[in-house]
């Protein structure tokens, strides 16, 4: 996955990160501590590839900081983005537990630190822990639900609404909410061409719903974006504005 030159000094917060990971949530402290003994932290930089689709699973990865993208490449160079994972989520869990090659490649979108755990102790703990087995089932169910929702969006929503929904899903809850991924990744996630997604973003900016800045997108009118994407708002501070006519796909 990475060479020894990427290793960092052991992080005292490793056990805390593992305990927050949905995959290991609820495990007794001693089991988390034992798992942490197998962890190797790695500094990862934007553009680094952890593994390619079809590679054999070696490690389970937990994101301590940064952002990872799981995607399936096509012969034309387009990517189908399956998941974006930030802290404290696990990556590569499906291949680790079913012991088959990775379904998708994994690339670093935002530099940070990942915690690599060899597959063997993770699988052994799952065989001995009812709680971890329960968590695995929940994680697999979440994967299925996410992919089913993405498929439904591709069939029902036009591109502009898919872009709005993706922005809301990816935003960091700063003030204002911020999306700091590139347009290409956003296009891959929304299932559209880069040029078409750029055009959608420009139209949303003209409406005052967002602002485009180098390297990031600021979401200025959360209520309007939620309403447009058909997503139920959660703690959105922005008051709704007058409805605008539909955007062209």
């Amino acid at each position: 996955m990475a060479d020894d030159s990427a290793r960092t000094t052991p992080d005292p917060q490793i056990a805390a990160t593992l305990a927050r990971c949905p995959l290991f949530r609820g495990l007794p402290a001693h089991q988390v501590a034992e798992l942490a003994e197998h962890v190797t932290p790695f500094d990862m930089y934007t553009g680094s590839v952890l593994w390619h689709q079809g590679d054999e699973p070696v490690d389970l990865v937990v994101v301590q900081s940064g952002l990872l993208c799981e995607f399936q490449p096509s012969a034309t160079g387009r990517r189908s983005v399956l998941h974006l994972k930030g802290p404290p989520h696990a990556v590569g869990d499906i291949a680790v537990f079913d012991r088959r090659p990775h379904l998708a490649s994994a690339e670093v979108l935002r530099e940070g630190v990942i915690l690599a755990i060899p597959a063997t102790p993770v699988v052994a703990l799952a065989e001995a822990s009812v709680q971890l087995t329960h968590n695995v089932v929940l994680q697999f169910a979440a994967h299925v639900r996410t992919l089913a929702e993405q498929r439904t969006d591709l069939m029902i929503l036009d591109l502009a609404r898919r872009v709005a929904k993706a922005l809301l899903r990816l935003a960091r809850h700063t003030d204002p909410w911020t999306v700091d991924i590139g347009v290409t990744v956003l296009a891959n996630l929304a299932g559209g061409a880069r040029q078409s997604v750029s055009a959608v973003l420009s139209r949303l900016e003209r409406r005052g719903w967002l602002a485009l800045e180098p390297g990031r997108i600021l979401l200025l009118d959360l209520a309007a974006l939620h309403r447009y994407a058909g997503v139920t708002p959660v703690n959105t501070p922005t008051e709704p504005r007058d409805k605008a006519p539909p955007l062209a796909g």
Side-chain angles (χ1 to χ4, degrees), residues 190-204:
R194 188 184 191 282
Q195 295 85 347
S196 299
V197 171
S198 295
V200 168
L201 291 174
S202 296
R203 292 197 292 272
L204 292 175

Side-chain angles (χ1 to χ4, degrees), residues 92-165:
D93 48 333
I94 293 178
V96 164
F97 287 111
D98 75 4
R99 307 308 298 155
R100 298 177 64 185
H102 285 288
L103 290 169
S105 301
E107 182 180 19
V108 180
L109 294 185
R110 186 166 63 240
E111 65 181 30
V113 176
I114 59 171
L115 308 178
I117 315 170
T120 299
V122 176
V123 173
L125 180 57
E127 292 173 346
S129 169
V130 173
Q131 180 62 51
L132 180 51
T133 300
H134 175 73
N135 291 348
V136 169
V137 172
L138 290 179
Q139 288 301 294
F140 281 23
H143 289 321
V144 172
R145 184 176 294 273
T146 297
L147 294 176
E149 182 180 355
Q150 291 174 350
R151 180 178 180 274
T152 300
D153 288 349
L154 287 170
M155 294 176 62
I156 296 176
L157 300 181
D158 59 31
L159 178 59
R161 285 174 173 78
R162 296 200 304 270
V163 169
K165 191 171 185 178

Side-chain angles (χ1 to χ4, degrees), residues 36 118 183:
V183 176

Side-chain angles (χ1 to χ4, degrees), residues 78-103:
R78 293 279 297 276
R79 293 180 173 186
S80 174
V81 175
L82 304 181
H83 302 286
L84 296 182
K85 296 288 186 70
H89 291 280
V91 183
D93 48 333
I94 293 178
V96 164
F97 287 111
D98 75 4
R99 307 308 298 155
R100 298 177 64 185
H102 285 288
L103 290 169

Side-chain angles (χ1 to χ4, degrees), residues 6-187:
R7 296 190 181 188
T8 66
T9 302
D11 186 342
Q13 298 302 316
I14 285 176
T17 300
L18 294 183
R20 290 172 48 233
C21 176
L23 192 60
F24 303 120
R25 191 171 294 156
L27 291 181
H30 74 275
Q31 289 185 333
V32 175
E34 291 172 2
L35 200 59
E37 293 177 358
H38 296 281
V39 166
T40 300
F42 288 91
D43 282 328
M44 297 302 288
Y45 300 95
T46 302
S48 300
V49 176
L50 274 62
W51 56 73
H52 295 278
Q53 182 183 30
D55 286 350
E56 294 296 325
V58 176
D59 299 313
L60 176 78
V61 163
V62 175
V63 184
Q64 188 168 51
S65 61
L67 184 67
L68 299 181
C69 171
E70 291 183 283
F71 68 93
Q72 293 179 326
S74 70
T76 62
R78 293 279 297 276
R79 293 180 173 186
S80 174
V81 175
L82 304 181
H83 302 286
L84 296 182
K85 296 288 186 70
H89 291 280
V91 183
D93 48 333
I94 293 178
V96 164
F97 287 111
D98 75 4
R99 307 308 298 155
R100 298 177 64 185
H102 285 288
L103 290 169
S105 301
E107 182 180 19
V108 180
L109 294 185
R110 186 166 63 240
E111 65 181 30
V113 176
I114 59 171
L115 308 178
I117 315 170
T120 299
V122 176
V123 173
L125 180 57
E127 292 173 346
S129 169
V130 173
Q131 180 62 51
L132 180 51
T133 300
H134 175 73
N135 291 348
V136 169
V137 172
L138 290 179
Q139 288 301 294
F140 281 23
H143 289 321
V144 172
R145 184 176 294 273
T146 297
L147 294 176
E149 182 180 355
Q150 291 174 350
R151 180 178 180 274
T152 300
D153 288 349
L154 287 170
M155 294 176 62
I156 296 176
L157 300 181
D158 59 31
L159 178 59
R161 285 174 173 78
R162 296 200 304 270
V163 169
K165 191 171 185 178
L167 290 172
L168 291 167
R169 186 165 65 246
L170 297 174
R172 292 187 293 112
H173 294 191
T174 53
D175 186 17
W177 284 15
T178 304
V179 177
D180 50 6
I181 65 171
V183 176
T184 298
V185 175
L186 181 61

